[in-house]
Amino acid sequence: PHPLSVQNILECCTVGKNVEAQKQLQKIINDGFSPIDIVTTFFRVTKNHDAFGEQLQLEFIKIIGMTHLGVLNGADSSLQLS
């Protein structure tokens, strides 16, 4: 997925627009991207986006890491990505 799409999802999450973030994520999933590609893009965008602040950035990376592990272990449903 395009990094700006992922950045928009993360920014929606930071301001509490979870429903909007979920809709955007579902669009990415429906576009046919594999779960591992989505998780990898989330990690790259989070790592390189300094506007979140270090604490929030580390929290996002922790959640993304746990999701990455789940996807690698075979739990690659859209529910796992939510």
Side-chain angles (χ1 to χ4, degrees):
H2 196 279
L4 288 178
S5 299
V6 172
Q7 184 176 333
N8 282 341
I9 293 171
L10 292 169
E11 288 173 356
C12 284
C13 290
T14 62
V15 295
K17 295 182 179 180
N18 297 330
V19 173
E20 179 64 28
Q22 184 64 34
K23 286 179 184 177
Q24 291 180 26
L25 177 61
Q26 192 61 47
K27 182 184 179 313
I28 290 173
I29 293 168
N30 290 342
D31 286 345
F33 290 99
S34 71
I36 195 68
D37 288 341
I38 295 170
V39 172
T40 302
T41 304
F42 266 89
F43 177 76
R44 280 190 289 116
V45 169
T46 303
K47 186 179 81 167
N48 295 323
H49 190 62
D50 296 329
F52 295 137
E54 186 178 356
Q55 186 65 29
L56 184 58
Q57 191 175 21
L58 289 173
E59 191 65 31
F60 274 140
I61 289 173
K62 177 179 153 186
I63 293 167
I64 293 166
M66 291 187 317
T67 304
H68 191 207
L69 184 62
V71 169
L72 289 176
N73 285 329
D76 58 356
S77 68
S78 60
L79 181 62
Q80 178 69 26
L81 295 175
S82 298

